Structures are given as structure tokens and as C-alpha cells.
Amino acid sequence: MFKRDLRPDSWLFSFLVSSLSRSLLAFAALAENQTSKGFAPVTIETPRHMLEYVATALDWWHADRYCEQHFAQLLLEPQDSEQASLSQLLQAHHIGGSVWLHERGSVLHRPKWRRDHIVPVLVFGDKTNTKYVKVLSDFPALPAVTACAHLQWDTRTQEIATIFSYAVPAFMNEFQLRGFVDEEGFVRFALIVHGHHSPYLPVFRADRQWHHFCVTWQQENGTWAIYADGKRRASASGLCAAGPSAPQAISGQGTFIIGQDQDSLGGTFREKESFSGNITDLHIWHKVLSTEQVERVRSCWVVEQDLVFGWSSNALEVESTVQEVTTQFLCPGPVEECRVFEVGSSGFSYTSCLQPLPFICCYRKDAYWQLKKAQQESSHSLTSRVNMLAERTVIPENVFTSDVQDMNLSVALGALDVVATVLREGETPVLEASDLLAVLQLLKQVSDVEVQEGEELEMLEQLGQYYVEVTELILEEQNVQTWSSVSQVIRGPMTVVELCDRMVSHLAPLLTAGRTKITIQHGNIGMEVRKLELGRKELSSEAYLVHGPKKGRHDLIEVPAEEMQRLKARGLRRLMVKNMWFGYGSLQRCLSGAGGTAAFQATAASDGGEKSLSTSVGTAVISSALLSDSQEISTSVRYRLQHRVQDMPNRLVGPVCAFWNFSLSPDAGGMWSTAGCSVVTSLLDSTACFCNHSTNFAVLLQVYEMQRTTKEELTLQTLTFIGCGVSFCALTVTFILFLAVGVPKSERTTVHKNLIFALAAAEALLMFSELAKTNQAMCFTVTACLHLFFMAAFSWMLVEGLLLWSKVVAVNMSEDRRMKFYYMTGWGLPVLVVGLTLATSFNKYVADDHCWLNVQTNVIWAFVGPVLFILAVNTFVLCRVVMVTVSSARRRSKMLTPNSSLENQIGVQIWATAKPVLVLLPVLGLTWVCGVLVHLSIIWAYVFIVLNSLQGLYIFFVYAIYNSEVRNAIQRMKDKKKALSFTNCSHPINYLSSPRNTTSWETGKLSPSAAESALPSPVPKDPPVKNITNKGNFGAKIPMGISSIMSPDRPAVELTAFKSSVSKQGLLRLFARRCHPEALQLSSPQWTHEPGRAGGSRD
């Protein structure tokens, strides 16, 4: 960038300088008026607020700043029902006209002042065919394009002028903007793309003033638009869209010329089509800017995203006759309109935010009187010493009468230097409430300082140093009570964090190509601003690391590398990162009050082993924010903070990752929230967190009083592990017995086996779940499996209850349909519950400190809810079974022993009641009801653990050891084993040759062939045999041992006491085959299968 010696008779240059000077003088006069003294506020009391009317007219931004610096708010838009009463109240105090309002639910994001910056301005004199400026930039293909600039139009000619032209070898008029002044005094623009010409349309007046313009075009539908001074003046579609083919993108690798029309690539200019006037701040993007972005560019805020060319003299080839002037340019202010209340008419209107109007500041009553009290009780010691040392009024003695001060950098630096010196000396170790408020008011004023380009940046960095030092001094330990005494006035101590956030934004001009990071730290406060270039091939995470007071301990916050890649994919090229850190001190102690943490106390969870006492801020407060074009970008962050708590015996500390939400409870200045944040890892001295947004973070520590001693906890854990181990072994043995010994298949045994498998899997996972805590993915998997198998165990307990109900109450459903329903309930329901829980609460599924469901959220109800329902159903089923059993026992007792005593009848009924309860408790899961009583006493905790951890052992005894079906199956296996090892075949042959053995096993009839060969004469049917075999199955009896069967004292026909089964028949045939094969001829033909009998079959 350079300056040229300009000719004094250059009309265009003189016009440029004079117009800029007039703008600067007008702005200076406005600033002087805004800082003038003599405010005479009028105080008005309402039922809920105190209103302060300020008659001095200010623009909306300065009015809002005035109220904020006086710890108030600009009057909010009244409700419809309050408009008339407010108007009458103001009129009663002789107030009329228009006053500024703060519109409800509206946030003004536009710049609050006009930017004054230094830029190179191109001065094109008279129209010639030689003056031009070439843009030294490589242009890519442009499917969409936006070009913006500030210009002054030369009104001395009405000929067509070319503002810029872009040509490629294939086509000269590839992209071009032309204009001329019409007879009515308007400048008309026309856009040319691929040689297609838009109509000339008026965009602004030819008034010799600076105007801003933007032109946009996109390939899709050929849509184009022309903006002037922030407003859209013309737009349409179809430009270069004629014909059957879709419009093509603007070709790349062309030549961009400012001020001339190219008839050949980069040359052949014509005087009559050249530009005459001044132009600056030309920027080009390969996208279409939004209306809001166009307004930002108009105010000299560059949109970095998708920028192809940014205005810089180093990127321009300037022809020698074109004058280049480096001057201070006053950018246009915002054109946003603000809300106005019309006193008298009780109506609302809008007007330009820059128009000076009177306004009303609104105080909450409690804050107003607290502020008044602080003023009345003040000794003004700090204020007097500061003003005396500075030899001027740096801090006013009364915050109510202080003016809005538009400080420049030098004044702000001097004021903070004096205040830091006085606070550093420590002659007033404890600040008074009025002193603290006065210092905060000064910090507000400094944070609003307008940093102009060209000012000495060394002063800016020094200002940041003083700002951090003053903030750290007023946050010292001895001032905690003072902060609490003015909490209503300042809306909480997080006000300091807000002010520092404003201040760190002012450090951005210090960032250069050679200095990409600025870090300031003083004691317990640190701030950093850094510049990120996303054009690098390799992007890594951006971390802000702060070393703590202890060696080797540090806090950090970082933007993950994957987030950087995502932002790069969005087309962002440059970012600014703001980081702040507030070490543990009075700020955290003030934030640990009831207002900031009440929400967490209300939701604190307990399992009965501890009682929630309080929630406090136990770490530093750290923040991070990413900005692009001064607009904050939402991004996820990771942070790790060291705990700052002392050892507390019999206390349990649980970390909670949280951020300060200013929108919650705005009267209190905000509240802690956990939305979007979760604990990644938690150690004794630190906690790592992840949040899906960027703001001010900390770790809250929930403190619990331990209701159990360490010894009791260790005993409970040991009992749980031993009980689960014993239960798992017992369940495993029971499951193997059901499979190996050949228990007859039935609904009951199938349900038992599924219940045993689910419960064994759950208890095995529970025993070893602690080993998975260190691996996040493994812990998540174990939690999901635990949830699934415990839900399956309870679902099969429900099936046990339903099966029992089907035996007590008649159910019209076939066995196949019942089993399908049971499987859907036992396995389908758990899969459905776990799947829905994972789908809806994936990020909140696992607890922070162990591998189980998160009890801090509603996820735990995905287990507790179904379990409570199942226990309620099974309790009802058990009651019904007990009633039926007792009734049957009473009838049986009356029939069998009608003359029994009352004591015997009561004993029978008690046993009839106790027996089903003892047998059904383990499979119905009713022992889990004890879990509701755990929080009452440690005794119930022992009872709960013993009953449920030994549930598997109980099932083993009741459903394996004392189960007749299992015992029968085991006995059959023992009998078969003895038979196979039997070597003396004399007794079996005698039995087979006996006429009795020719009797059919199923019918009891004599076989004719057997009778003829074994007996000398026909033998009639043997009545005993017939009587025995006609009784059918004896499944309810225990089979005889093989020794009793082979006893010579017992007839062979006693074999029919076994259940009719293939194993029994095969056993006898095996005897015959091994010892006397000819015996098969006596018995084989008579093996039959009688329809309707269960158990008879051919071997």
C-alpha cells in the first residue's frame, strides 16, 4: 500500500477528501453530543419496577449502552394490557413524544457503531481509454458469484460506464457490470453474464455521495440481483438461461479489469465505455451472499467464507494514470430499524436505530433499592483515591448520574492503569459495595471501547493486560461477601465473564500473519485469541492449555480435529478462536450459591448409599468460541478440568459437566445447565467432558453424605460378588441337568430353561462389569447386554407367572400358540425395550462412574418401569395361586379327616399357604421388592443382596434337587448304567422265558406265539398283570431301583411300574440281545404302539 503525490487541482480527489472529512466531523459532533453532561433523569415507580426517564436524545445503541452501564435495561416493549396505563403514567410526569424500546424476543446482531478504517481508494479521473486496474487473482469457475464495492459516481457525464469487466479467452463479456446516470438523476445498473444483458434499472441517486453496491448471479435458473446501500433494488431469473441448454458457470482463469470494458483479453479499451469516479473495498465471492451478509459487507465487515478476492493494494496492478489514495474511510452505519413507543397514542412504530431519541431505563425494584443503599453507605474511599491519582474524574461518585463515555484507547488505558495501581496497593483490602459497582461500571465502559484502525496496537495489548489484572483483583477472596451483597444489582458474578468476553474480542487486530496467537494471563484469569487457517492439508485439534498452581496439573479445552475438518468442508477459510479461563476462587464460590445450582439439587439421584447434600462449582470456569466474520459458529468441544476440593471424610463427590446458560433465569443472570454435555472420564482429581456446543464450561461437584461406612460398602460388594458367583454356578448346573438327564419336554421345563439362561448370563456380566469401566466402548456394550439379559430374566419371570395363571384359570389357547406368545414376551419384549432406549437416549445411556444405566436421567426407567409392572403382575398371580391352594387344602382336609382338630386344620392351611410362596418366589422375582426398602436401613440392603444374589442357588434346590422329573431322569440314567454293566444274564433269561414276560407292555395281553413256546398248555390271562397294566402310566410315582427289579422275590411283572417309555423297553430288549438272542423271538413281535398312549414305541 502506498500514497501518491496528488495534484491540488484534481477535482475528483478534492471531492473525495472533502466528503470523507464532512462525514468524520459529523460523527465527531454526534459523539460529543452523546457524551455531553447534564442528564436529568426522572424516576417513576411502578408496582414491579423503577423507571428512569433520560431526556437527552441518543441513538438506540448508545441508549442501550447507557442503561447497561447503569445496571439497568432499556425499557422492554410493554404488553398490550399495559400500554395504556404506561402511557398515562408517563404523561402524568410530563413525558411525551417517542422513546426507545427493547423489543421482546429480538436480538440486534448488527454492528453497534460505524467502522472507521483505512483503505486504498482508486481515483479514476476523466474518461480515457488508458486508465484501468487489473486484479491479480486466479479465478476458479464460478457457478455462483457475488461482487461488492463502495463507489462515488462522477455526475459530470451521462455516458455508459463500465465498473468492472471479466473476460475469458472464449468470451470477452463473460461477467460485467455497467451503469449510467439517467435524466431523473438516478444511476442505473445492468449486469452482463455470458453476453446476456439485464435491463438498466435504477439503484441509487447520483448525489456525489458514497454508495455501496452488490451484484449476485447463480447458475441455477440464472437468478440475479442488484443491491444498493443494503437494499435489494432489482432481482429476476433467466439471465443467460435462454435456449434448451441450462446456463453454464462463469469460466475460470480469466482477466478481471476495473474501470474498462475489454474488447480483447486484458486490453482494447474504449474511452466512451470507461469508468469515472472513485471505488474501494471491492470483494468477490464464489457464492450468493444473503441479505444479512450484504449488510455486513456494506458496514466493512468482510465475509471470509468462499472469498475469491479481497480488497488489497498488493493484489492490484494499477495503471500509472490511476491515482491510489490511502485514506480513512467511514463505513456506513447499520440501516436496522428499532422499536419506538409513542407516548400519548399508546402505539408502537419503527425508526432508524441511528436517530437520537430519549429513552427509559428499567430497574427491578430490589436491584434499584440495593443500588441506592450501596450509594448511601459508601465512604467513596476508592473513588476519591483513583480520581486524585488520575487528577481527573475516572470513576464518578454516583453511578446514577454518570454519563455514557465513548472512550478511546488512550483514555481507557489510562483509567485502568490508575485503578489497577490503587487496587494493587491494597490500602482498601475489602471493597465496599459502591466501589465494586464503580469498578464494574468502568469495566463496562472499557469493554465498549471502539478500536479504530491505525491506532497503536501496543496500547491495545497493554489495555488487555490491565483489564485482566483489574478483574483478577476485584475477584480476590476477601471480596466474596461484597459480591454477594450486590448480586441483585449485577445479576450474578458471571457478568465479569461477559465483560471479559467482550474485551477479548478487541484483541483481534493484534493477529497478523506472523503472530497468530495472543495470550494474556494474570493470576487466576487468562484469555487468548488465535487465528486459524483452514487451508492447511493436515488439521489437528486446537487446544487452549492453562497450567494450574500445582506443578504438572493443567486445565485445557480443545476443538476436536474432526470438527475442524467439518468446518473446512463448509467452505470456511479463516476462523478466530476466543478462549478464557477463570481459576478457582471467589467467582466459583459465588456461583455455588443456591440460585446457580438448585436445579441439580432437585434432580440428584441416590441409591440409598448416600444422601445428596449440595452442588458446588469445583473447578475453574473455561470457555471457547469460534468466530467467522465476527459471527459465532456452533461447534463441539472437549475439556478437562482439575478438581479444586479438599478431602471430605464420609463424603462422596460426583462430577457433572455443565455450562452457564444466560437465557435461563435472566433476572439472576443465568443458570447452570447440562444440555448437550456429558462426562467422558472421571478421576479423583480431574474430569474430562464433551459438549456439542461452545460456551462457558465448568464441572459441578455433587457432594453426598455417605450413609454407609467404607467397611459396610466393602462387605456389601463382597457379598454381591460371592452370591452372584454361587448363583451363577448353581444356575449353570441346573441348566446342564435340564439338558443332559433327559427331562421330558413340557411348557414348564422350557420356560425354566430360558429363565435360567437369561439370569445366569446377567449375573456373569454383573460380576465382571467393573473390569470394563476403563474402556468406554466396552462399558457401553456391557451396559446394553446387562440391560438386555436382566430384562429378559424378568420377562421370563413374567412368563412363569402367566404359565402358572394358565394352570389356575382356564386359558383357551393351544400349546403351540402359547409357546410362541411366551417367546415373544420373554425375548421380544427385552429386545424392543433396549432398542428403543438406545435409539432415544444413546448419549445418556451409560452412567458416569460404572457400567450400568444412567440414574441421573430418565434412562433408568427403561429398566425400573417394566420391572415394577412385572412384579405387580406376578404378585397378583401369587395371591391367586395361594387362594386356590388354601381352598383346595381346606376341602381335602374336610374330606380325608373330617373330625380333625382346629389346630390341625390351621396347620394344614398355613402349610398350604407357605408352600407355593416358598416354591414360586425365586421364579416370580418377588424378592426384588426388597429393593424398594434399601434406603431405609443397611439391614434391608443385606437382605436384598442375599435374597437376589442367591436366587440361582434357590432355583437349583427347588427346581433341580427336589424336582421329581429331574430325579426320575437321573434315576433312569443310573438304572441304564447299571444294566449296561450287568454281566450275569441268568436272571434276565429266566424272566424272559417266563410266561408272564410274554405279556404286552402296553395291553397286558398274552402273545400266542410266546405262550405256545413257553408253556405246555394255554394259560389264561393273568389277572394281576391285567390289573396292573390297565392302570396306564404311573408318572407320579418314583421308579423302582434296578436292584428291586432283579430281586427273585418280586415277580417280573413289576417292571410295568415304570413309565411306558422307549428306555424301559429298550433296556429289556438289550438284556435279551446280549444274553439269549432267541428270546427276541418270544418278545419282539408283541411290541406295539397303542394309539392314545404316551410312551409305547418300537425300539
Side-chain angles (χ1 to χ4, degrees):
M1 185 180 297
F2 56 92
K3 291 186 179 181
R4 295 179 179 272
D5 294 331
L6 301 177
R7 294 173 297 171
D9 57 348
S10 172
W11 173 88
L12 209 55
F13 173 67
S14 301
F15 171 60
L16 166 67
V17 173
S18 62
S19 62
L20 287 175
S21 300
R22 285 196 302 270
S23 298
L24 290 172
L25 290 173
F27 183 69
L30 176 63
E32 182 179 358
N33 178 58
Q34 290 170 344
T35 58
S36 63
K37 298 183 179 180
F39 285 101
V42 178
T43 304
I44 306 170
E45 184 174 0
T46 68
R48 292 183 299 170
H49 299 95
M50 297 296 294
L51 305 181
E52 196 173 75
Y53 173 75
V54 182
T56 303
L58 300 175
D59 63 47
W60 191 95
W61 308 109
H62 281 85
D64 182 62
R65 191 188 309 174
Y66 174 91
C67 293
E68 183 191 8
Q69 291 179 4
H70 287 73
F71 306 100
Q73 283 184 318
L74 193 63
L75 180 64
L76 280 173
E77 177 184 350
Q79 303 287 352
D80 295 340
S81 59
E82 300 173 347
Q83 294 177 17
S85 59
L86 177 63
S87 180
Q88 293 174 3
L89 183 63
L90 295 177
Q91 285 179 316
H93 288 79
H94 309 289
I95 298 172
S98 301
V99 294
W100 287 123
L101 286 178
H102 200 300
E103 191 171 0
R104 293 181 183 272
S106 175
V107 180
L108 299 178
H109 296 290
R110 306 285 167 73
K112 297 186 179 181
W113 55 82
R114 302 177 70 181
R115 294 193 65 207
D116 192 14
H117 71 149
I118 298 174
V119 290
V121 178
L122 300 177
V123 180
F124 291 86
D126 296 335
K127 297 169 69 72
T128 67
N129 61 355
T130 58
K131 295 180 179 179
Y132 74 94
V133 176
K134 182 179 180 181
V135 174
L136 303 177
S137 179
D138 293 330
F139 288 86
L142 302 173
V145 64
T146 299
C148 300
H150 288 92
L151 62 79
Q152 279 181 316
W153 198 272
D154 185 359
T155 58
R156 295 176 299 170
T157 176
Q158 294 184 339
E159 293 181 342
I160 292 177
T162 303
I163 295 95
F164 64 78
S165 64
Y166 176 74
V168 295
F171 208 87
M172 293 301 105
N173 295 327
E174 184 73 358
F175 180 48
Q176 191 175 127
L177 180 65
R178 293 185 173 196
F180 72 93
V181 179
D182 64 12
E183 295 177 352
E184 297 178 357
F186 283 94
V187 176
R188 292 175 173 263
F189 277 180
L191 185 63
I192 302 173
V193 178
H194 298 324
H196 294 263
H197 206 295
S198 75
Y200 283 97
L201 298 172
V203 289
F204 56 81
R205 282 197 171 274
D207 53 6
R208 299 185 178 182
Q209 300 299 318
W210 281 98
H211 293 277
H212 180 261
F213 74 87
C214 284
V215 293
T216 68
W217 178 86
Q218 59 181 339
Q219 180 181 349
E220 184 179 357
N221 299 325
T223 304
W224 60 277
I226 299 177
Y227 294 83
D229 298 325
K231 301 291 186 182
R232 181 182 293 184
R233 305 299 183 182
S235 63
S237 60
L239 183 60
C240 192
S245 61
Q248 300 297 315
I250 295 175
S251 302
Q253 305 304 316
T255 302
F256 196 101
I257 298 294
I258 302 173
Q260 294 286 357
D261 177 22
Q262 305 175 59
D263 289 339
S264 63
L265 191 63
T268 315
F269 308 134
R270 289 187 290 180
E271 178 181 331
K272 60 185 307 183
E273 295 180 346
S274 63
F275 173 70
S276 177
N278 305 320
I279 189 168
T280 187
D281 255 5
L282 174 66
H283 293 80
I284 304 169
W285 297 264
H286 61 85
K287 72 171 185 177
V288 174
L289 296 185
S290 64
T291 303
E292 184 178 1
Q293 289 174 322
V294 168
E295 173 61 21
R296 288 180 56 78
V297 172
R298 173 178 176 264
S299 301
C300 303
W301 294 90
V302 179
V303 176
E304 297 285 351
Q305 185 176 356
D306 298 320
L307 183 66
V308 176
F309 169 72
W311 187 248
S312 172
S313 60
N314 296 326
L316 299 175
E317 179 185 305
V318 182
E319 193 268 335
S320 58
T321 59
V322 177
Q323 298 177 350
E324 183 180 5
V325 180
T326 301
T327 186
Q328 194 170 19
F329 181 78
L330 184 62
C331 293
V335 295
E336 193 162 11
E337 294 183 335
C338 297
R339 195 77 155 166
V340 171
F341 181 61
E342 303 292 345
V343 181
S345 65
S346 302
F348 300 107
S349 63
Y350 284 94
T351 189
S352 172
C353 298
L354 293 175
Q355 180 178 341
L357 288 176
F359 55 95
I360 297 174
C361 294
C362 181
Y363 295 86
R364 288 181 295 115
K365 267 194 171 181
D366 54 350
Y368 180 85
W369 294 118
Q370 194 176 65
L371 186 59
K372 278 286 188 183
K373 180 181 178 182
Q375 289 292 326
Q376 293 171 359
E377 297 177 353
S378 174
S379 64
H380 304 293
S381 59
L382 177 70
T383 303
S384 301
R385 292 177 59 242
V386 168
N387 293 337
M388 182 176 63
L389 183 62
E391 297 180 351
R392 63 182 181 86
T393 302
V394 173
I395 300 179
E397 293 187 355
N398 192 335
V399 296
F400 286 104
T401 60
S402 61
D403 304 333
V404 174
Q405 297 187 28
D406 282 331
M407 290 186 172
N408 58 32
L409 200 56
S410 178
V411 173
L413 182 63
L416 284 185
D417 185 11
V418 173
V419 173
T421 301
V422 173
L423 291 174
R424 200 184 304 123
E425 291 174 355
E427 294 186 11
T428 54
V430 179
L431 290 177
E432 295 180 353
S434 60
D435 295 335
L436 179 59
L437 293 174
V439 175
L440 285 175
Q441 189 178 55
L442 177 63
L443 292 177
K444 287 174 179 284
Q445 295 171 353
V446 174
S447 66
D448 289 328
V449 68
E450 300 180 10
V451 181
Q452 305 294 341
E453 293 188 18
E455 294 187 282
E456 296 184 13
L457 298 183
E458 293 79 5
M459 295 174 58
L460 180 59
E461 187 169 0
Q462 187 63 45
L463 180 69
Q465 295 280 1
Y466 284 146
Y467 199 96
V468 171
E469 182 180 1
V470 170
T471 304
E472 200 268 337
L473 288 171
I474 63 175
L475 283 174
E476 286 184 343
E477 198 73 25
Q478 64 268 20
N479 296 323
V480 173
Q481 292 299 325
T482 308
W483 281 98
S484 300
S485 66
V486 297
S487 59
Q488 297 294 331
V489 177
I490 63 176
R491 291 184 176 87
M494 286 298 285
T495 300
V496 175
V497 178
E498 276 191 294
L499 295 177
C500 289
D501 183 70
R502 290 189 207 170
M503 186 62 217
V504 73
S505 300
H506 292 322
L507 302 178
L510 295 173
L511 299 174
T512 62
R515 191 181 185 188
T516 59
K517 182 174 70 173
I518 306 296
T519 302
I520 297 175
Q521 184 167 348
H522 190 282
N524 254 2
I525 299 179
M527 59 176 60
E528 178 189 82
V529 58
R530 65 174 65 188
K531 182 171 63 174
L532 300 181
E533 294 289 343
L534 300 184
R536 308 191 309 267
K537 292 183 179 180
E538 296 294 332
L539 292 176
S540 59
S541 60
E542 292 294 331
Y544 172 49
L545 188 142
V546 183
H547 292 281
K550 293 186 179 180
K551 188 176 182 180
R553 293 165 59 94
H554 59 268
D555 299 328
L556 70 85
I557 187 168
E558 65 175 352
V559 180
E562 54 269 22
E563 281 295 304
M564 306 297 293
Q565 293 289 350
R566 182 180 65 84
L567 296 175
K568 181 180 180 180
R570 286 176 50 186
L572 298 177
R573 297 172 56 191
R574 299 182 188 88
L575 295 176
M576 186 178 75
V577 185
K578 297 189 302 182
N579 298 311
M580 292 189 301
W581 175 80
F582 294 83
Y584 190 81
S586 58
L587 174 64
Q588 284 76 1
R589 288 181 173 82
C590 294
L591 289 173
S592 297
T597 56
F600 299 98
Q601 295 176 10
T603 60
S606 173
D607 65 353
E610 60 273 343
K611 178 182 178 182
S612 178
L613 294 178
S614 63
T615 302
S616 60
V617 183
T619 65
V621 175
I622 198 166
S623 69
S624 182
L626 270 70
L627 295 92
S628 176
D629 305 326
S630 302
Q631 295 292 311
E632 189 167 334
I633 301 173
S634 179
T635 180
S636 61
V637 297
R638 291 192 295 257
Y639 64 94
R640 184 177 70 246
L641 299 175
Q642 302 293 325
H643 299 169
R644 300 293 195 275
V645 291
Q646 298 178 352
D647 294 335
M648 293 179 287
N650 297 326
R651 296 290 189 270
L652 177 67
V653 178
V656 177
C657 298
F659 72 97
W660 188 263
N661 191 336
F662 288 97
S663 61
L664 296 178
S665 185
D667 288 342
M671 183 178 289
W672 291 110
S673 173
T674 59
C677 296
S678 59
V679 175
V680 178
T681 57
S682 180
L683 304 176
L684 290 177
D685 61 346
S686 66
T687 296
C689 302
F690 173 84
C691 288
N692 58 12
H693 52 82
S694 55
T695 181
N696 304 294
F697 302 102
V699 175
L700 307 184
L701 300 179
Q702 289 182 321
V703 182
Y704 300 92
E705 180 182 8
M706 297 300 297
Q707 295 180 337
R708 304 171 191 149
T709 64
T710 305
K711 184 178 179 180
E712 288 173 339
E713 288 289 342
L714 180 61
T715 303
L716 291 175
Q717 292 177 5
T718 305
L719 283 176
T720 301
F721 188 83
I722 294 174
C724 286
V726 173
S727 182
F728 173 74
C729 295
L731 289 170
T732 304
V733 172
T734 306
F735 189 77
I736 293 173
L737 282 176
F738 271 92
L739 294 178
V741 302
V743 176
K745 290 185 178 180
S746 65
E747 287 181 325
R748 190 153 45 92
T749 56
T750 301
V751 172
H752 286 346
K753 285 189 285 187
N754 280 276
L755 170 60
I756 291 168
F757 174 78
L759 196 56
E763 293 192 348
L765 285 170
L766 183 61
M767 285 191 296
F768 300 103
S769 61
E770 290 296 308
L771 300 178
K773 280 173 48 176
T774 55
N775 188 312
Q776 187 176 4
M778 183 65 69
C779 187
F780 188 94
T781 304
V782 168
T783 301
C785 292
L786 276 173
H787 190 191
L788 175 65
F789 283 113
F790 268 117
M791 276 299 306
F794 276 97
S795 298
W796 282 106
M797 292 177 196
L798 176 63
V799 171
E800 291 275 4
L802 297 177
L803 178 61
L804 192 59
W805 180 262
S806 70
K807 303 301 181 184
V808 177
V809 180
V811 178
N812 297 323
M813 186 182 295
S814 65
E815 183 177 341
D816 290 341
R817 292 179 61 190
R818 279 203 306 270
M819 285 309 303
K820 289 181 180 178
F821 173 73
Y822 292 159
Y823 273 109
M824 288 178 61
T825 303
W827 291 111
L829 180 62
V831 171
L832 179 64
V833 170
V834 175
L836 288 176
T837 308
L838 288 172
T840 56
S841 304
F842 188 84
N843 293 327
K844 303 177 182 178
Y845 188 69
V846 183
D848 295 334
D849 52 352
H850 53 273
C851 299
W852 180 235
L853 301 179
N854 193 344
V855 298
Q856 303 290 344
T857 62
N858 293 327
V859 172
I860 190 63
W861 287 102
F863 176 73
V864 175
V867 167
L868 291 178
F869 171 76
I870 291 170
L871 294 180
V873 172
N874 284 353
T875 302
F876 176 76
V877 171
L878 181 62
C879 293
R880 178 64 175 164
V881 170
V882 169
M883 292 172 60
V884 171
T885 305
V886 172
S887 178
S888 299
R890 186 184 300 115
R891 290 196 303 269
R892 188 183 306 109
S893 177
K894 289 181 179 180
M895 292 175 59
L896 298 178
T897 56
N899 298 324
S900 62
S901 63
L902 180 62
E903 290 78 4
N904 290 337
Q905 292 181 7
I906 294 175
V908 169
Q909 292 183 16
I910 291 175
W911 175 244
T913 303
K915 183 178 179 179
V917 171
L918 294 174
V919 172
L920 297 176
L921 272 179
V923 294
L924 296 184
L926 298 182
T927 54
W928 285 75
V929 177
C930 298
V932 180
L933 308 174
V934 164
H935 68 285
L936 298 179
S937 171
I938 186 66
I939 298 175
W940 283 109
Y942 285 118
V943 172
F944 176 73
I945 288 177
V946 170
L947 288 179
N948 290 284
S949 62
L950 299 180
Q951 184 178 11
L953 188 62
Y954 198 67
I955 290 175
F956 172 71
F957 281 113
V958 175
Y959 292 94
I961 300 301
Y962 295 108
N963 187 346
S964 60
E965 292 180 340
V966 175
R967 294 172 63 182
N968 292 347
I970 294 174
Q971 188 64 44
R972 288 195 298 271
M973 291 180 64
K974 292 166 65 178
D975 292 346
K976 184 175 180 180
K977 183 177 180 181
K978 289 182 179 180
L980 291 175
S981 62
F982 191 67
T983 56
N984 186 359
C985 297
S986 59
H987 292 292
I989 292 299
N990 291 337
Y991 297 153
L992 289 173
S993 62
S994 173
R996 297 178 183 270
N997 289 338
T998 62
T999 305
S1000 171
W1001 287 70
E1002 293 295 328
T1003 64
K1005 297 180 181 180
L1006 294 175
S1007 173
S1009 58
E1012 293 174 1
S1013 59
L1015 297 175
S1017 61
V1019 180
K1021 297 178 180 178
D1022 191 341
V1025 174
K1026 182 177 180 180
N1027 291 337
I1028 293 173
T1029 57
N1030 282 343
K1031 291 183 180 179
N1033 265 338
F1034 288 81
K1037 297 181 180 179
I1038 300 176
M1040 300 177 183
I1042 193 68
S1043 59
S1044 64
I1045 295 174
M1046 298 304 172
S1047 173
D1049 298 330
R1050 298 184 63 86
V1053 75
E1054 292 295 333
L1055 285 169
T1056 57
F1058 282 93
K1059 285 184 179 181
S1060 301
S1061 64
V1062 177
S1063 60
K1064 311 297 185 301
Q1065 299 165 4
L1067 182 61
L1068 188 58
R1069 289 174 59 85
L1070 183 61
F1071 290 156
R1073 183 181 297 113
R1074 292 185 60 185
C1075 301
H1076 291 279
E1078 63 273 12
L1080 295 176
Q1081 298 176 1
L1082 302 177
S1083 58
S1084 296
Q1086 283 69 42
W1087 291 94
T1088 61
H1089 175 73
E1090 185 177 8
R1093 296 272 188 177
S1097 62
R1098 189 180 182 90
D1099 188 5

